[in-house]
Amino acid sequence: MSAATITVGGADPYDVVIGTGVLGALPGMVGPKARTVAVVHAARLTAISGPVVHALEEAGYAVHAVPVPDGEAAKDVAVLAGLWSRFARLGLTRTDAVVGVGGGAATDLAGFAAASYLRGIRAVLVPTTLLAMVDAAVGGKTGIDIPEGKNLVGAFHPPAGVVCDLATLVTMDRADYVSGLAEVVKAGFIADPRILELVEDDPDGAARPDGPHTRELIERAVRVKADVVGADLKEAGLREILNYGHTLAHAIEKAEEYRFRHGYAVAIGMVYAAELARLAGRLPQSAVDRHRAVLASVGLPVSYPGGAWPELRATMSIDKKSRGATLRFIVLDAVGEPGRLEGPDEKLLEAAYQEVAR
C-alpha cells in the first residue's frame, strides 16, 4: 500500500507522510540547504534511529546522533540546555536541521530545541509511537515541563515535515499503544465520528498496531489535527478543541509526577468533560455513556480516586487554557460538536468529578 500524505496548511505548510518503510521522505523534508543534521532520539531507540541516520547519510548530510533520556525525563530544562550546547559544538547553523526521533516527549523536546537554538532552525519529526504520530508530532507545539506543570514552557514551531513509519508501532508495549489510542478517540468525539464507529465495530483490533483499521484510524486522527492547526496554529480559537479532556488530564499527570500515561489521563479527562457538559445541560446521558463504553472497550481507564479532587482542582487553576481567574473547558454539545464552558460553578466542577471518582 502506498504512503498517504496529509498536508498541514497555514503560513508554513508541511506534509505528514504515513505508511510503512517511508524514511525515504526524510531528505526532501530536511532540504538542500542543510549540511549538518542532529538526530535527537530517545536513548533506547537506537534500532530505529540507526536507519534514520543511515537514510540521511546516504543523502549526503553530515549526521550526528544525539541521545536523550527516555520518556518524560527528556522534557527537562537541563536536557534542553545540553542540546543547545551540543548543537553549538556540532556547528549547526541556521540552514541546518534537527530531526527528532521517538515518542511525544522526544519530539516535543527536539522541536523546542530547534525552535530556540539560533532563534529557530529547521525541524523534521519521526514519531515512533501512536501518541506521537496522531498528536505530539503534528501541529507545531513544542515544549518542556517544569516542576509547576506540564508543557508550561515552549514555543509554536511547525516542523518542516513529519514521517510516520507504521512499522515502528509493532514494537510498542500494548499499554503504551492503548494510551495513544485515547488521542485517536478524542479526534472521533470532537470531529470525526467515523473513528468511534471503527473502534466500536472492532475494539480488539483498534487496540493493536496490526489491527485491520490501524492505518485508517491514524490517518483520520491526523487529518482532524491537520485541519484544525492549519486554520489556527497558535490556539487563538479553533485549536482549543484539541484540548478536549486535557484540563483534568494534565492535572492528573502532575499529581502522578508524570509517571501516569498521558492517554490514560486524557481518557479520564474526556469522561470528566462529558459529565461536566451533561450537568451543565449541554450533553445527553447517552453521549456520556458512549464515552465510557468506547474508552473502556479498548482498555482505557474512565475513573480516578475521589480523594484527589482538591489537589487536581488547584492544579487546573494554572492550566494553559485559563484566562486570568476564569477556568475554561472544551466540552461537547453533541458528538462532533465541541464548544467552550467558561467559569463553571465550583459545585458543578466537583459534582462532575464525583461522577468519575472511584
Side-chain angles (χ1 to χ4, degrees):
M1 187 182 294
S2 62
T5 299
I6 298 171
T7 299
V8 182
D12 298 299
Y14 57 93
D15 289 339
V16 180
V17 176
I18 303 170
T20 301
V22 291
L23 293 182
L26 280 172
M29 294 176 175
V30 170
K33 294 182 180 180
R35 294 178 304 171
T36 304
V37 180
V39 176
V40 176
H41 67 90
R44 64 181 175 83
L45 294 181
T46 54
I48 297 173
S49 62
V52 170
V53 169
H54 180 71
L56 293 168
E57 287 177 336
E58 286 286 294
Y61 300 106
V63 188
H64 302 270
V66 183
V68 295
D70 295 321
E72 206 71 18
K75 294 173 62 172
D76 181 84
V77 174
V79 177
L80 175 66
L83 286 183
W84 291 330
S85 295
R86 183 68 185 276
F87 293 170
R89 293 195 297 270
L90 293 175
L92 262 67
T93 70
R94 284 184 173 170
T95 56
D96 292 322
V98 172
V99 174
V101 182
T107 58
D108 277 0
L109 171 70
F112 189 35
S116 49
Y117 184 71
L118 297 180
R119 297 185 177 88
I121 64 175
R122 199 171 186 87
V124 176
L125 303 178
V126 184
T128 61
T129 66
L130 178 59
L131 178 61
M133 288 182 185
V134 302
D135 186 42
V138 179
K141 276 188 178 181
T142 69
I144 59 171
D145 305 330
I146 58 176
E148 289 73 19
K150 182 180 173 73
N151 295 328
L152 289 181
V153 179
F156 291 100
H157 187 65
V162 180
V163 176
C164 300
D165 192 334
L166 303 183
T168 65
L169 298 178
V170 300
T171 65
M172 288 189 67
D173 174 83
R174 181 180 173 88
D176 288 333
Y177 187 84
V178 168
S179 172
L181 198 57
E183 292 285 358
V184 177
V185 171
K186 179 201 74 178
F189 276 118
I190 64 173
D192 184 0
R194 178 60 184 156
I195 290 174
L196 304 180
E197 294 169 0
L198 289 170
V199 174
E200 289 165 333
D201 288 346
D202 185 6
D204 181 65
R208 303 192 323 267
D210 61 347
H213 303 300
T214 295
R215 178 162 163 175
E216 182 178 359
L217 287 168
I218 292 172
E219 288 184 21
R220 284 182 175 274
V222 170
R223 287 186 191 281
V224 168
K225 187 156 191 182
D227 289 346
V228 171
V229 301
D232 177 20
L233 172 64
K234 297 189 175 180
E235 208 165 77
L238 176 64
R239 184 168 180 159
E240 282 190 321
I241 70 172
L242 297 173
N243 291 316
Y244 186 56
H246 284 57
T247 301
L248 182 66
H250 285 164
I252 289 173
E253 288 180 287
K254 183 175 184 296
E256 297 281 349
E257 298 180 342
Y258 304 110
R259 293 190 294 264
F260 200 76
R261 289 180 175 86
H262 176 69
Y264 285 16
V266 169
I268 297 165
M270 285 191 285
V271 176
Y272 175 73
E275 291 286 6
L276 193 59
R278 179 184 66 82
L279 291 172
R282 296 176 60 165
L283 192 67
Q285 181 68 53
S286 60
V288 180
D289 293 342
R290 193 178 190 189
H291 278 70
R292 294 181 187 276
V294 171
L295 294 166
S297 74
V298 294
L300 286 163
V302 294
S303 61
Y304 196 71
W309 174 245
E311 179 183 359
L312 298 178
R313 176 63 187 90
T315 300
M316 286 196 295
S317 293
I318 59 169
D319 183 81
K320 298 188 299 300
K321 292 170 291 303
S322 297
R323 299 293 185 269
T326 302
L327 195 58
R328 292 152 57 99
F329 287 87
I330 298 302
V331 296
L332 299 182
D333 292 310
V335 172
E337 296 181 17
R340 293 173 184 78
L341 179 62
E342 300 195 22
D345 184 88
E346 288 296 325
K347 291 182 179 179
L348 188 69
L349 291 172
E350 185 169 4
Y353 186 75
Q354 293 310 311
E355 295 296 325
V356 302
R358 64 168 187 264

